[in-house]
Amino acid sequence: AAQRDNADGGFTVMVRDDEEDARWRALLTFGYEDAMATHLLGFTGDGKDLLLLSPLDAETTRLLRLSGVTGAVDVLYEEPGYDVTDANLHPLTGQADLVVVERDRLELVGLTSGTARDLDRVRALSRGAPVALGRDRGNRRWLIQDNIDNGPATFRIFQRDDDAAETLFTHQPAL
């Protein structure tokens, strides 16, 4: 997939079919009013669809799946009145399983029951608002940043297998 900028300030998502000599074709065009808040996240695990964050046809930014074949758009997650600011892809399936929603503060939302359970366990081990910074390829360890209002952030490794969190370091511990 590629993003072609348009003269009106918008952009068009371009794709090529699997054939060796396939030409690029337009899949979906975003007008200037949506272009600045639209972010292509990548392909789904099967390589057929694109995941993106966009306010396309809505008042807030949502997590969308764009069919690489038809250009059809499916809403995977939205929360009326709040923007979805990020999404994480499961390292084994390539599917979105976690989103970040900008409420009063950034909140993590699990899109699958397993990820929702893991987030509950992460919150129980955190002092503040946790942020998932990354995961290993086996999805066994997560890097978590624990943000509190009255002190420095703490960085931990969350071990999914035993519900444990190992503290790596605290950013600016003198605070």
Side-chain angles (χ1 to χ4, degrees):
Q3 180 176 316
R4 181 186 69 200
D5 292 334
N6 298 332
D8 67 355
F11 69 87
T12 299
V13 175
M14 307 290 291
V15 295
R16 287 176 28 167
D17 296 320
D18 289 335
E19 294 83 38
E20 188 172 315
D21 295 331
R23 295 193 175 273
W24 288 95
R25 63 181 171 85
L27 191 61
L28 183 63
T29 297
F30 293 86
Y32 70 91
E33 63 279 355
D34 293 327
M36 292 300 293
T38 297
H39 304 283
L40 301 178
L41 300 173
F43 286 99
T44 55
D46 60 11
K48 294 180 181 179
D49 300 325
L50 286 165
L51 296 172
L52 58 129
L53 299 174
S54 180
L56 180 70
D57 299 328
E59 296 296 319
T60 58
T61 301
R62 308 175 297 171
L63 174 62
L64 306 175
R65 179 177 51 230
L66 173 62
S67 168
V69 176
T70 67
V73 175
D74 294 316
V75 177
L76 298 181
Y77 187 84
E78 68 180 321
E79 195 163 318
Y82 298 100
D83 287 321
V84 176
T85 60
D86 198 7
N88 290 344
L89 305 184
H90 190 285
L92 298 174
T93 67
Q95 301 299 322
D97 68 339
L98 178 130
V99 293
V100 180
V101 178
E102 189 171 352
R103 298 179 186 146
D104 291 334
R105 62 177 60 208
L106 296 179
E107 303 258 350
L108 302 176
V109 177
L111 302 181
T112 65
S113 59
T115 301
R117 270 192 315 277
D118 288 335
L119 288 174
D120 288 342
R121 295 184 295 192
V122 165
R123 285 186 194 97
L125 295 167
S126 299
R127 294 178 32 214
V131 176
L133 299 177
R135 299 183 256 189
D136 70 357
R137 289 184 185 189
N139 198 36
R140 294 187 330 269
R141 291 180 297 274
W142 294 13
L143 177 60
I144 302 294
Q145 179 180 339
D146 186 4
N147 298 309
I148 57 174
D149 293 334
N150 59 353
T154 301
F155 294 81
R156 296 185 174 91
I157 295 289
F158 170 63
Q159 303 280 349
R160 292 182 63 236
D161 296 339
D162 58 6
D163 291 344
E166 173 189 349
T167 298
L168 298 174
F169 64 94
T170 299
H171 179 256
Q172 298 183 350
L175 289 179

